[in-house]
Amino acid sequence: MAETAYIALGSNLEKPELQLQRAVDDIDTVSGMTVSACSRLYRSDPVGPPGQPDYCNAVVAVKTTLKPLQLLDSLQSIENAHGRIRSVRWGPRTLDLDILLYDNQIIESERLTVPHYQMHVRNFVLYPLLDIAPGLELPNGKKLKAMVDELSYQGLNVIAESYPWI
Ligand code: ROI
């Protein structure tokens, strides 16, 4: 059976807009995964160590027959194909793909925590998610809209309305 998952995309190196656009195409190409909705494209101030370039961020919804860890494997292969090198914690990156939500499941394993452990404090995740899932409720019963209302919009700018963004 196909489940719905939400994936956050982020990049602040090597033409971030293009990295994100290509990542959406790559995700859609993986067998067992189809992109069903795509947020607006945002530019955001970096959270983490200062002195790094601004980020581009977006969120997509996928319909997938992959199990959570298979989905994680597929997303990590896409990150690697985009030249992602894991070096500095919270440092700049060519492409970051995070599983935010998978169906209505709570997953706590060594490799994967779902819902994503920091999504509730990241405006560059929750605002794009709201674009595509305004009525969403998290597995703990919290409404996305209420979570967004607790977060400032500061540092976020919409740079493209609808996919394809560029
Ligand atoms: N900051 C922003 N604005 N966007 C991101 O996607 C992002 N990703 C990260 C850290 C380094 C925490 N900062 C970010 O992983």
Side-chain angles (χ1 to χ4, degrees), residues 50-100:
Q52 50 177 322
D54 287 352
Y55 277 79
C56 277
N57 286 109
V59 170
V60 296
V62 298
K63 287 267 179 237
T64 185
T65 52
L66 302 178
K67 299 286 168 228
L69 288 179
Q70 294 174 319
L71 179 61
L72 181 65
D73 286 338
S74 297
L75 296 176
Q76 288 185 346
S77 322
I78 295 173
E79 288 178 341
N80 293 339
H82 281 245
R84 167 85 184 263
I85 297 160
R86 288 165 194 277
S87 49
V88 185
R89 180 170 157 88
W90 287 13
R93 65 263 328 270
T94 45
L95 183 63
D96 205 3
L97 298 175
D98 288 332
I99 302 174
L100 301 174

